Amino acid sequence: MSTKMAEPSKCNQCEGSLYGQKFILNAEIPHCVKCYEKLFCNNCFACGQLIGCTSKDVSFKAQHWHGECFLCKMCNQSLVDQPFATRDEMLVCSACHITEFSAKCHACLKNIMPGSKKMEHKGNSWHEACFTCKSCQQLIGTKSFIQKDASNYCLCCYEKNFALQCIHCKKPIITGGVNYHDQPWHKECFVCTGCKQQLAGQRFTSRDDLVYCFDCFCNLFAKRCAYCTTPISGLGGSKYISFQERQWHNDCFNCKRCCVSLVGRGFLTCNDDVFCPDCGKDI
């Protein structure tokens, strides 16, 4: 035996009569159309108007549109049941998104379709098939390459066509070269003749066409101070005193007895020592 549910007599919200009127049940609670739309319907994100019960409500990320308002921002084509994307919070159909926003291949200037493999370097993009060596036309892929004059070259072609040869080891210089006396060197080949320390970015000098770091040059060739016995480099404009084949640092050229500086003054010598005129009287 079945029972028939009684037709509701009034709206649960405004208590208006529902006899002969359209109504909507929400959780088995009857509402007239006006009250239902006021309580439960959304406003359209595009036009701001209410999306009534008889209109199609399209939602995306907690926002709602009339079906007829759910359009591509660029071409105004309907996006209902169509693939679309978002750009700066605006809705764009797939065709417009590809045309306007997809990366363009640096070689063929055509769009790189979303989902297809692309290669990127310093802000530029290529189709995988367009990312080739300028010289041999072979695919570069993930192999090492060098860019010259906005073109890409595999290492083999770059070495053959452009790379300088190190004056020391005779091998191509790909990166990090040093130029000295108009000759190219690898950084790792441009070293001190004495201690073999790399000289790129360091103070160095040369003697008999050989290069030395500052310390090695001083230890090997510089004269030594008659007082402190450490090297007098003379490099960088440093001053020193020279007298009878002996040299002193300016700071070391002092009276042996009273320690007054003798730079620019008269002095007396006794054996290996120097004295001011006053102290020299007692020698």
Side-chain angles (χ1 to χ4, degrees):
M1 182 176 183
S2 61
T3 59
K4 186 178 180 181
M5 182 179 292
E7 187 173 315
S9 61
K10 62 180 181 179
C11 172
N12 186 70
Q13 183 70 17
C14 68
E15 298 187 350
S17 174
L18 296 178
Y19 287 119
Q21 304 295 322
K22 290 182 179 179
F23 65 90
I24 301 171
L25 293 175
N26 183 36
E28 303 300 329
I29 298 174
H31 297 80
C32 66
V33 172
K34 184 176 180 180
C35 287
Y36 182 86
E37 291 180 342
K38 180 179 179 181
L39 291 172
F40 304 110
C41 289
N42 302 291
N43 287 331
C44 177
F45 184 74
C47 70
Q49 300 298 312
L50 187 73
I51 304 174
C53 297
T54 58
S55 298
K56 186 177 183 69
D57 185 329
V58 181
S59 64
F60 176 70
K61 289 188 176 180
Q63 294 173 338
H64 297 260
W65 289 260
H66 291 106
E68 59 271 22
C69 293
F70 196 58
L71 307 174
C72 171
K73 190 70 174 178
M74 305 192 74
C75 68
N76 287 323
Q77 295 298 309
S78 175
L79 298 178
V80 177
D81 299 326
Q82 299 297 322
F84 65 91
T86 59
R87 185 80 178 189
D88 299 329
E89 297 187 356
M90 66 179 182
L91 304 177
V92 185
C93 68
S94 295
C96 286
H97 189 271
I98 291 171
T99 302
E100 297 296 327
F101 304 114
S102 291
K104 285 182 170 58
C105 177
H106 192 65
C108 70
L109 303 181
K110 295 180 180 179
N111 291 96
I112 301 175
M113 301 298 289
S116 60
K117 192 170 184 179
K118 67 178 178 180
M119 314 304 293
E120 294 181 318
H121 178 67
K122 292 185 177 180
N124 293 321
S125 301
W126 290 262
H127 293 106
E128 185 179 22
C130 294
F131 194 55
T132 59
C133 171
K134 174 77 171 180
S135 180
C136 68
Q137 302 300 313
Q138 295 298 307
L139 290 175
I140 294 175
T142 58
K143 294 183 293 187
S144 297
F145 69 97
I146 294 177
Q147 197 170 67
K148 179 177 175 61
D149 300 330
S151 296
N152 302 319
Y153 296 87
C154 65
L155 291 184
C156 182
C157 287
Y158 182 86
E159 291 176 4
K160 183 168 58 178
N161 294 321
F162 305 110
L164 297 172
Q165 283 193 337
C166 175
I167 196 69
H168 175 73
C169 70
K170 310 304 179 185
K171 294 180 180 179
I173 301 173
I174 304 303
T175 58
V178 175
N179 188 286
Y180 179 65
H181 284 179
D182 294 326
Q183 293 178 326
W185 302 67
H186 288 112
K187 277 186 177 181
E188 56 270 24
C189 293
F190 191 62
V191 298
C192 171
T193 304
C195 66
K196 307 305 179 185
Q197 173 187 348
Q198 288 189 25
L199 296 177
Q202 307 295 323
R203 291 180 66 188
F204 69 90
T205 187
S206 64
R207 183 184 178 96
D208 300 329
D209 293 328
L210 300 176
V211 289
Y212 297 88
C213 68
F214 181 77
D215 289 339
C216 284
F217 181 83
C218 289
N219 290 329
L220 292 171
F221 306 111
K223 297 182 183 299
R224 295 185 175 270
C225 177
Y227 175 72
C228 70
T229 71
T230 60
I232 301 173
S233 69
L235 299 176
S238 59
K239 296 181 180 180
Y240 62 96
I241 306 298
S242 180
F243 177 71
Q244 292 183 347
E245 297 185 355
R246 289 189 294 166
Q247 289 78 31
W248 292 261
H249 294 106
N250 266 21
D251 293 340
C252 294
F253 194 58
N254 302 320
C255 175
K256 175 70 174 179
R257 179 171 295 174
C258 69
C259 298
V260 67
S261 174
L262 299 178
V263 177
R265 300 178 58 181
F267 61 91
L268 301 172
T269 63
C270 181
N271 298 324
D272 290 335
D273 300 321
V274 291
F275 297 87
C276 68
D278 291 337
C279 294
K281 294 176 183 178
D282 299 328
I283 299 175

mmCIF file of all heavy atoms in Angstrom, residues 104-121:
data_model
loop_
_atom_site.group_PDB
_atom_site.id
_atom_site.type_symbol
_atom_site.label_atom_id
_atom_site.label_comp_id
_atom_site.label_asym_id
_atom_site.label_seq_id
_atom_site.Cartn_x
_atom_site.Cartn_y
_atom_site.Cartn_z
ATOM 1 N N LYS A 104 56.794 31.172 -27.957
ATOM 2 C CA LYS A 104 57.085 31.024 -29.381
ATOM 3 C C LYS A 104 58.505 30.491 -29.543
ATOM 4 O O LYS A 104 59.419 30.896 -28.827
ATOM 5 C CB LYS A 104 56.924 32.356 -30.106
ATOM 6 C CG LYS A 104 55.477 32.768 -30.313
ATOM 7 C CD LYS A 104 55.377 34.075 -31.078
ATOM 8 C CE LYS A 104 53.933 34.369 -31.489
ATOM 9 N NZ LYS A 104 53.016 34.445 -30.347
ATOM 10 N N CYS A 105 58.657 29.593 -30.466
ATOM 11 C CA CYS A 105 59.962 28.988 -30.733
ATOM 12 C C CYS A 105 60.917 30.060 -31.262
ATOM 13 O O CYS A 105 60.585 30.805 -32.182
ATOM 14 C CB CYS A 105 59.825 27.854 -31.738
ATOM 15 S SG CYS A 105 61.399 27.087 -32.211
ATOM 16 N N HIS A 106 62.102 30.143 -30.671
ATOM 17 C CA HIS A 106 63.093 31.141 -31.063
ATOM 18 C C HIS A 106 63.622 30.889 -32.473
ATOM 19 O O HIS A 106 64.136 31.801 -33.118
ATOM 20 C CB HIS A 106 64.255 31.110 -30.058
ATOM 21 C CG HIS A 106 65.194 32.266 -30.176
ATOM 22 N ND1 HIS A 106 64.825 33.571 -29.919
ATOM 23 C CD2 HIS A 106 66.506 32.311 -30.537
ATOM 24 C CE1 HIS A 106 65.860 34.371 -30.099
ATOM 25 N NE2 HIS A 106 66.890 33.634 -30.480
ATOM 26 N N ALA A 107 63.457 29.657 -32.961
ATOM 27 C CA ALA A 107 63.970 29.324 -34.293
ATOM 28 C C ALA A 107 62.917 29.518 -35.377
ATOM 29 O O ALA A 107 63.121 30.267 -36.327
ATOM 30 C CB ALA A 107 64.487 27.882 -34.315
ATOM 31 N N CYS A 108 61.748 28.860 -35.238
ATOM 32 C CA CYS A 108 60.735 28.910 -36.299
ATOM 33 C C CYS A 108 59.654 29.952 -36.035
ATOM 34 O O CYS A 108 58.803 30.198 -36.894
ATOM 35 C CB CYS A 108 60.099 27.531 -36.484
ATOM 36 S SG CYS A 108 59.036 27.018 -35.100
ATOM 37 N N LEU A 109 59.647 30.550 -34.843
ATOM 38 C CA LEU A 109 58.710 31.608 -34.445
ATOM 39 C C LEU A 109 57.262 31.125 -34.347
ATOM 40 O O LEU A 109 56.346 31.946 -34.253
ATOM 41 C CB LEU A 109 58.794 32.795 -35.414
ATOM 42 C CG LEU A 109 60.187 33.428 -35.562
ATOM 43 C CD1 LEU A 109 60.129 34.605 -36.522
ATOM 44 C CD2 LEU A 109 60.750 33.859 -34.221
ATOM 45 N N LYS A 110 57.040 29.823 -34.353
ATOM 46 C CA LYS A 110 55.694 29.284 -34.177
ATOM 47 C C LYS A 110 55.442 28.986 -32.699
ATOM 48 O O LYS A 110 56.383 28.819 -31.918
ATOM 49 C CB LYS A 110 55.517 28.021 -35.015
ATOM 50 C CG LYS A 110 55.593 28.264 -36.526
ATOM 51 C CD LYS A 110 55.411 26.965 -37.300
ATOM 52 C CE LYS A 110 55.497 27.205 -38.801
ATOM 53 N NZ LYS A 110 55.346 25.942 -39.568
ATOM 54 N N ASN A 111 54.133 28.933 -32.337
ATOM 55 C CA ASN A 111 53.786 28.650 -30.947
ATOM 56 C C ASN A 111 54.211 27.246 -30.551
ATOM 57 O O ASN A 111 54.141 26.305 -31.344
ATOM 58 C CB ASN A 111 52.276 28.796 -30.724
ATOM 59 C CG ASN A 111 51.818 30.237 -30.815
ATOM 60 O OD1 ASN A 111 51.362 30.680 -31.853
ATOM 61 N ND2 ASN A 111 51.963 30.980 -29.732
ATOM 62 N N ILE A 112 54.653 27.142 -29.310
ATOM 63 C CA ILE A 112 54.958 25.831 -28.742
ATOM 64 C C ILE A 112 53.720 25.371 -27.986
ATOM 65 O O ILE A 112 53.335 25.977 -26.978
ATOM 66 C CB ILE A 112 56.176 25.899 -27.800
ATOM 67 C CG1 ILE A 112 57.406 26.416 -28.564
ATOM 68 C CG2 ILE A 112 56.464 24.528 -27.185
ATOM 69 C CD1 ILE A 112 58.621 26.638 -27.695
ATOM 70 N N MET A 113 53.067 24.338 -28.475
ATOM 71 C CA MET A 113 51.792 23.907 -27.936
ATOM 72 C C MET A 113 51.945 23.435 -26.493
ATOM 73 O O MET A 113 52.929 22.779 -26.143
ATOM 74 C CB MET A 113 51.209 22.772 -28.789
ATOM 75 C CG MET A 113 50.975 23.153 -30.241
ATOM 76 S SD MET A 113 49.775 24.481 -30.420
ATOM 77 C CE MET A 113 48.276 23.604 -29.979
ATOM 78 N N PRO A 114 50.961 23.797 -25.633
ATOM 79 C CA PRO A 114 50.997 23.321 -24.250
ATOM 80 C C PRO A 114 51.075 21.798 -24.200
ATOM 81 O O PRO A 114 50.403 21.105 -24.954
ATOM 82 C CB PRO A 114 49.672 23.835 -23.670
ATOM 83 C CG PRO A 114 49.304 25.003 -24.518
ATOM 84 C CD PRO A 114 49.803 24.665 -25.894
ATOM 85 N N GLY A 115 51.928 21.293 -23.333
ATOM 86 C CA GLY A 115 52.081 19.859 -23.192
ATOM 87 C C GLY A 115 53.164 19.268 -24.067
ATOM 88 O O GLY A 115 53.599 18.142 -23.841
ATOM 89 N N SER A 116 53.624 20.028 -25.079
ATOM 90 C CA SER A 116 54.700 19.515 -25.933
ATOM 91 C C SER A 116 56.045 19.850 -25.303
ATOM 92 O O SER A 116 56.175 20.804 -24.539
ATOM 93 C CB SER A 116 54.612 20.109 -27.342
ATOM 94 O OG SER A 116 54.730 21.518 -27.298
ATOM 95 N N LYS A 117 57.066 19.074 -25.627
ATOM 96 C CA LYS A 117 58.376 19.265 -25.032
ATOM 97 C C LYS A 117 59.043 20.497 -25.614
ATOM 98 O O LYS A 117 59.016 20.732 -26.819
ATOM 99 C CB LYS A 117 59.249 18.033 -25.275
ATOM 100 C CG LYS A 117 60.527 18.024 -24.455
ATOM 101 C CD LYS A 117 61.214 16.671 -24.548
ATOM 102 C CE LYS A 117 62.456 16.634 -23.646
ATOM 103 N NZ LYS A 117 63.119 15.320 -23.706
ATOM 104 N N LYS A 118 59.624 21.314 -24.743
ATOM 105 C CA LYS A 118 60.324 22.496 -25.221
ATOM 106 C C LYS A 118 61.656 22.632 -24.486
ATOM 107 O O LYS A 118 61.840 22.131 -23.377
ATOM 108 C CB LYS A 118 59.486 23.762 -25.020
ATOM 109 C CG LYS A 118 59.255 24.176 -23.574
ATOM 110 C CD LYS A 118 58.464 25.472 -23.498
ATOM 111 C CE LYS A 118 58.189 25.867 -22.050
ATOM 112 N NZ LYS A 118 57.426 27.130 -21.961
ATOM 113 N N MET A 119 62.593 23.313 -25.135
ATOM 114 C CA MET A 119 63.904 23.560 -24.562
ATOM 115 C C MET A 119 63.998 25.050 -24.242
ATOM 116 O O MET A 119 63.525 25.890 -25.025
ATOM 117 C CB MET A 119 65.020 23.165 -25.552
ATOM 118 C CG MET A 119 64.819 21.805 -26.214
ATOM 119 S SD MET A 119 64.633 20.436 -25.053
ATOM 120 C CE MET A 119 66.285 20.389 -24.341
ATOM 121 N N GLU A 120 64.593 25.393 -23.108
ATOM 122 C CA GLU A 120 64.680 26.783 -22.672
ATOM 123 C C GLU A 120 66.115 27.136 -22.311
ATOM 124 O O GLU A 120 66.846 26.326 -21.741
ATOM 125 C CB GLU A 120 63.768 27.024 -21.468
ATOM 126 C CG GLU A 120 62.288 26.876 -21.775
ATOM 127 C CD GLU A 120 61.414 27.158 -20.563
ATOM 128 O OE1 GLU A 120 61.779 26.695 -19.449
ATOM 129 O OE2 GLU A 120 60.393 27.824 -20.725
ATOM 130 N N HIS A 121 66.503 28.373 -22.647
ATOM 131 C CA HIS A 121 67.845 28.854 -22.299
ATOM 132 C C HIS A 121 67.832 30.376 -22.324
ATOM 133 O O HIS A 121 67.483 30.992 -23.326
ATOM 134 C CB HIS A 121 68.888 28.319 -23.287
ATOM 135 C CG HIS A 121 70.277 28.818 -23.026
ATOM 136 N ND1 HIS A 121 71.007 28.476 -21.907
ATOM 137 C CD2 HIS A 121 71.078 29.651 -23.749
ATOM 138 C CE1 HIS A 121 72.174 29.055 -21.948
ATOM 139 N NE2 HIS A 121 72.254 29.780 -23.053
#
